[in-house]
Amino acid sequence: MNFVIKSAFIKNSFYIILAAAFAAVMLSPMASQNPDGLDWTIEKHASAGLESSSTAANEKNSAEETGESNYFIFSDYKTPFIKNESVSTIFSGLAGIMLILAFFKFYSAAARKNAAPSRPEAGDNLCR
Amino acid sequence: MHIPDGLLSNNINIASAAVSGGLFYYFNNRLAKTIDDAGLNIAGALTAFVFAAQMINFPVGFGASGHFLGASLLMIALGAPLGFISMSVILVIQSLFFADGGITALGSNIFNMGVMGGLAPYFIFINLNGAVSAFKTRAGFSILAAACAWLSVFLASLSCGLQLGFSGVAGVKTILSTIVFIHCFIACAEAAIVFVLLNFLTAVRPGLFEKYYKSYEDKTAETAAVNQ
């Protein structure tokens, strides 16, 4: 009985945490547009530093920066085919959540496959 | 603090990719021996939450903003192996699909946010939690966790600044003083968020953190009962 209650609780907490994740995505369009700590630091200092470094590296850098939006689906947390900025951000966030959940689904399936033959106490679970 | 492509020198990227990749391999192997589905379920939900929370930048003054890191929270909630893998998954997905952090800098980003921002503070957390009885109460545990969350952002920005400095983006001292300065403020927000989240998660799923305080609290309750 205790086991049943416990597993029900675990299932619930999964959905509660997931609901918190969805809530966070819904709030994400309100995020500050200021540069984050790293970008802020780079903006402050890098211009001087990068000019002094080799120009070849700079060219490569700028080429990668301009090409960025073409290579990545949700570049800058925007969905390319949605014009509305808030919806675009929310949709990309939902896609990210799905990607992560999909990874863990596959990961646990793969782990179960690997673990099953080499687990001598597997039958014990039924008796508990 | 997701470092984009082209900022760090190749040597630094390769070295930190080797460290991060090695740790990922090690923790993945360790996890394979002690896998449990319920744990992986919660790990998935928590990882999704940390990913979503990282999207919300909050202003910290000086024209800068910061966002939740969550590495310390993942480690404390899931343990080092699963926590590290969760953090790595977030960073990989961010760099592959969201252009947040470069692909060549992925190893460095995992090193900064997973190792320095996750494993290092978790190591301190677990040792202090084991050694100091004041941290074994529920309140003491969440205060210690919040302190480690502060430390996690501090250490991550420190190693990020060192990498940028040694890659020649700017002088090591200049970049360190700026990046660590601004992240000290972001770290305060991180600590507050972790403190609130820990109390929320303890209410939602008590089993997640019981190992850090329950046995001690039970023992003190027993001795109190015996003394009465």
Side-chain angles (χ1 to χ4, degrees):
Chain A
M1 189 60 195
N2 195 20
F3 176 75
V4 174
I5 292 173
K6 234 181 183 175
S7 63
F9 205 74
I10 285 167
K11 262 192 184 156
N12 271 335
S13 61
F14 171 82
Y15 289 116
I16 292 171
I17 296 170
L18 206 58
F22 284 125
V25 166
M26 293 303 157
L27 290 176
S28 64
M30 287 163 53
S32 162
Q33 294 298 315
N34 290 347
D36 78 349
L38 173 68
D39 294 334
W40 185 76
T41 309
I42 292 172
E43 273 172 26
K44 255 191 152 177
H45 296 300
S47 51
L50 279 181
E51 268 163 21
S52 64
S53 70
S54 71
T55 46
N58 266 345
E59 273 166 22
K60 189 176 155 244
N61 191 7
S62 59
E64 268 171 6
E65 263 169 28
T66 48
E68 211 169 57
S69 51
N70 298 328
Y71 293 141
F72 300 97
I73 309 172
F74 301 111
S75 205
D76 207 21
Y77 296 91
K78 294 275 182 288
T79 317
F81 52 86
I82 297 177
K83 287 230 171 69
N84 184 309
E85 280 209 0
S86 303
V87 180
S88 182
T89 304
I90 288 173
F91 190 85
S92 76
L94 295 180
I97 288 181
M98 292 309 156
L99 282 169
I100 286 170
L101 292 181
F103 168 84
F104 276 94
K105 251 305 177 266
F106 280 118
Y107 193 80
S108 80
R112 211 178 307 149
K113 221 177 184 179
N114 285 338
S118 62
R119 196 196 274 164
E121 75 281 9
D124 284 3
N125 288 338
L126 297 173
C127 314
R128 238 180 246 163
Chain B
M1 62 189 85
H2 299 65
I3 303 171
D5 277 325
L7 265 185
L8 296 183
S9 75
N10 289 338
N11 290 345
I12 290 181
N13 274 337
I14 291 169
S16 34
V19 175
S20 312
L23 278 170
F24 189 91
Y25 180 77
Y26 169 72
F27 282 133
N28 185 40
N29 274 357
R30 249 184 69 178
L31 208 58
K33 288 171 195 152
T34 57
I35 209 77
D36 83 301
D37 276 347
L40 274 179
N41 256 341
I42 289 300
L46 260 184
T47 309
F49 171 76
V50 169
F51 167 83
Q54 284 194 359
M55 288 174 70
I56 306 176
N57 282 53
F58 44 82
V60 286
F62 310 100
S65 75
H67 62 73
F68 183 53
L69 178 58
S72 53
L73 178 82
L74 285 176
M75 301 274 168
I76 292 170
L78 307 171
L82 202 47
F84 185 78
I85 283 175
S86 298
M87 200 61 209
S88 306
V89 167
I90 293 177
L91 293 168
V92 168
I93 286 179
Q94 280 172 336
S95 94
L96 286 185
F97 296 95
F98 295 86
D100 196 6
I103 292 177
T104 56
L106 183 59
S108 302
N109 281 327
I110 296 181
F111 179 81
N112 290 339
M113 288 178 264
V115 182
M116 296 297 280
L119 291 177
Y122 177 69
F123 181 76
I124 295 169
F125 168 85
I126 212 83
N127 279 297
L128 280 178
N129 182 254
V132 184
S133 57
F135 292 139
K136 285 180 198 167
T137 60
R138 197 172 144 174
F141 143 77
S142 31
I143 288 168
L144 176 67
C148 285
W150 192 92
L151 200 65
S152 112
V153 175
F154 176 82
L155 287 176
S157 72
L158 190 71
S159 94
C160 182
L162 283 173
Q163 286 176 342
L164 289 172
F166 285 121
S167 296
V169 172
V172 175
K173 262 189 194 167
T174 337
I175 213 139
L176 262 189
S177 59
T178 318
I179 200 168
V180 173
F181 166 79
I182 198 70
H183 279 96
C184 282
F185 294 94
I186 300 173
C188 293
E190 174 93 7
I193 296 170
V194 165
F195 185 80
V196 171
L197 281 179
L198 277 186
N199 286 301
F200 167 72
L201 285 173
T202 329
V204 170
R205 191 173 178 202
L208 215 47
F209 302 107
E210 265 175 358
K211 54 181 180 279
Y212 298 125
Y213 57 83
K214 191 76 193 298
S215 61
Y216 179 81
E217 282 189 345
D218 283 353
K219 222 182 271 173
T220 41
E222 264 171 39
T223 44
V226 168
N227 288 341
Q228 266 176 6

